[in-house]
Amino acid sequence: DEAYDNALKPSIPAKTAPLKGSERKALRAELRKQFAPALDAADALDALIPSQKAAAVTRGRLGNTRSEVVLVDGAAALVSQEPASASRLRNPPRSWVPSPLAIRRCPHLLRQVAIHAPVRKNVQRGADLYAGGVVGFGDAEGAAWPSELFGAPVARGELCAIVTEGGWAPFAVGRFAKSDADLVEDGAGGACVEVLLR
């Protein structure tokens, strides 16, 4: 966990403010909507953003950006992301990207992509994930190879948790850079998962 904590320190803002009860409730509603049906159970949502006041839930801005970080007991749990076209909008739509720590608290939230152990270092150093680094790539074949490799059809922009083969604890969170159709058309070339948080 030491490497994980060090990786997140640049993402934790220097100035944070506690979430009021109404803000916490609104955030929980946003998360329930974005991650349905994974957060339909109250205890699943509590694992991500506790409803009780015993846990300190704060938020802050990342530098001069519009992105926010939500911290639970001082650890980064969520980072907001906005579409590229959002800079022209007054109140742009946002979605939340859970941190690897948040995925450890709520492991069923995102699809898991298992990678070969040697690939982990590259991902932690800033590389995106290519299909060849995913466990089972050599066995997936035919026109449906992306669905075979990732366990189901993938959509461009879908969030996923990245784990090392044989492990369950995610060390990174990414977004699929291509859909099934794109992967079949392009083959294994290019990044298949853009890594967002390490």
Side-chain angles (χ1 to χ4, degrees), residues 8-63:
L8 281 181
K9 283 181 183 169
S11 300
I12 296 176
K15 187 176 178 184
T16 61
L19 260 67
K20 298 175 189 168
S22 59
E23 293 171 324
R24 192 183 296 207
K25 189 175 180 179
L27 175 61
R28 287 169 59 90
E30 268 185 72
L31 293 171
R32 181 169 279 146
K33 183 178 177 184
Q34 181 181 341
F35 294 107
L39 292 180
D40 285 350
D43 57 340
L45 194 52
D46 282 340
L48 199 56
I49 299 292
S51 59
Q52 73 274 17
K53 293 186 178 188
V57 180
T58 58
R59 70 173 173 200
R61 295 248 179 242
L62 286 177

Side-chain angles (χ1 to χ4, degrees), residues 128-154:
D128 287 330
L129 182 60
Y130 287 71
V134 178
V135 172
F137 174 70
D139 299 330
E141 52 187 45
W145 73 265
S147 295
E148 275 184 43
L149 184 61
F150 299 113
V154 298

Side-chain angles (χ1 to χ4, degrees), residues 99-178:
S99 71
L101 179 61
I103 300 298
R104 289 178 186 181
R105 292 179 180 161
C106 196
H108 64 281
L109 190 60
L110 300 178
R111 175 194 316 237
Q112 290 193 346
V113 175
I115 65 168
H116 298 288
V119 177
R120 181 179 174 142
K121 278 186 190 174
N122 297 332
V123 170
Q124 287 179 316
R125 290 179 183 156
D128 287 330
L129 182 60
Y130 287 71
V134 178
V135 172
F137 174 70
D139 299 330
E141 52 187 45
W145 73 265
S147 295
E148 275 184 43
L149 184 61
F150 299 113
V154 298
R156 186 174 192 269
E158 177 187 348
L159 295 173
C160 61
I162 302 171
V163 300
T164 307
E165 181 179 23
W168 68 270
F171 68 91
V173 175
R175 170 179 42 219
F176 284 103
K178 299 176 180 182

Side-chain angles (χ1 to χ4, degrees), residues 175-187:
R175 170 179 42 219
F176 284 103
K178 299 176 180 182
S179 67
D180 268 15
D182 295 336
L183 286 166
V184 169
E185 186 177 315
D186 298 347

